[in-house]
Amino acid sequence: MRKKQLSIFLYALIIIGCGIYFYYEIHKRDNFINDLLNELKENSYKLIGLETFNQNRNYEIEYNGKYYSDSCKVISITGEKCFLTDLIRWNKLVLRYSELNCNTCIEEQIDILNLYVDSIGVDNILLFTTYDNILYLKRFKKANRIKFPIYNLTQEVNLEFADLGLPYFFVLTEYTSRINSMYIPLKEAPVLTQQYMHWILKKYFNETKCKMAI
């Protein structure tokens, strides 16, 4: 009887020990990731300058949670106008840019989007832009093999989703009519953008396949 109790005790002790070990390893890994991100953020001050870094963060604070009008209309690449609210079915990740932005900066963000297209869903990614020449926009889409729908913003909508002089991301959800989780990528620290994508995927698109199947 004592041997049986001793065996049970040792078995329980092993289980508890394994649990503590795995908890420690996961906690250590999370701490490592947090330390890495903090280090990257600190280094970004040196890479791009404190003023630029603060300006980007101020933009994010200003536009996060900002409501847009339900009457906003956008123009498809084929020239058709539609209400923005008609496009927002469930959650949409948006990349906002303009033809005045650096082509390399835009292409870098599109490359990152391509890495996540299968996880997020090609129909759940939108590109919002402002091009005076729609033919140039079509050529840009073809040259970069862009899979996502692209919409040109009308003048009034351009005020809602401002051109900040550089590309930025945000999320639109079906029932809130506001800008969520805005993020301005730092070209000097692309790993931060990938971490943003991981976070966006977990927060807004972890049920994408279920939603797409409905």
Side-chain angles (χ1 to χ4, degrees), residues 23 63 109 114 119 143 186 207:
Y23 173 82
Y63 285 95
Q109 308 317 316
N114 283 330
S119 301
L186 301 173
E207 298 178 2

Side-chain angles (χ1 to χ4, degrees), residues 110-205:
I110 291 174
D111 287 342
I112 290 177
L113 283 174
N114 283 330
L115 295 176
Y116 291 86
V117 64
D118 291 333
S119 301
I120 295 176
V122 67
D123 293 330
N124 294 323
I125 298 174
L126 302 174
L127 304 188
F128 285 180
T129 187
T130 45
Y131 276 73
D132 292 330
N133 189 332
I134 198 69
L135 292 178
Y136 183 80
L137 176 56
K138 290 179 179 179
R139 288 197 295 268
F140 180 82
K141 180 178 182 179
K142 183 177 180 180
N144 290 277
R145 300 179 179 178
I146 297 175
K147 307 173 184 177
F148 326 111
I150 302 180
Y151 291 91
N152 219 18
L153 302 184
T154 58
Q155 186 174 0
E156 63 271 19
V157 180
N158 191 40
L159 298 176
E160 305 272 5
F161 306 105
D163 179 8
L164 302 181
L166 67 172
Y168 60 91
F169 292 101
F170 58 91
V171 174
L172 297 180
T173 56
E174 190 170 3
Y175 301 109
T176 59
S177 297
R178 70 178 188 179
I179 296 172
N180 302 286
S181 303
M182 179 180 169
Y183 171 72
I184 302 175
L186 301 173
K187 63 181 181 179
E188 295 84 359
V191 67
L192 290 181
T193 304
Q194 293 190 21
Q195 290 296 331
Y196 169 78
M197 288 296 173
H198 281 297
W199 180 76
I200 286 296
L201 180 61
K202 182 178 179 181
K203 181 175 176 65
Y204 295 100
F205 300 100

Side-chain angles (χ1 to χ4, degrees), residues 33-48:
I33 293 174
N34 289 333
D35 291 343
L36 176 62
L37 289 176
N38 289 332
E39 183 179 350
L40 286 169
K41 288 179 180 179
E42 291 176 4
N43 288 337
S44 65
Y45 289 131
K46 303 174 184 177
L47 290 170
I48 67 173

Side-chain angles (χ1 to χ4, degrees), residues 78-131:
T78 57
E80 299 173 348
K81 279 190 177 183
C82 62
F83 285 104
L84 176 58
T85 50
D86 291 337
L87 301 178
I88 313 304
R89 293 292 177 262
W90 199 49
N91 300 329
K92 304 293 181 183
L93 174 62
V94 180
L95 172 62
R96 168 69 168 104
Y97 69 96
S98 80
E99 63 180 331
L100 299 179
N101 296 159
C102 161
N103 277 347
T104 302
C105 298
I106 300 169
E107 290 165 1
E108 285 178 354
Q109 308 317 316
I110 291 174
D111 287 342
I112 290 177
L113 283 174
N114 283 330
L115 295 176
Y116 291 86
V117 64
D118 291 333
S119 301
I120 295 176
V122 67
D123 293 330
N124 294 323
I125 298 174
L126 302 174
L127 304 188
F128 285 180
T129 187
T130 45
Y131 276 73

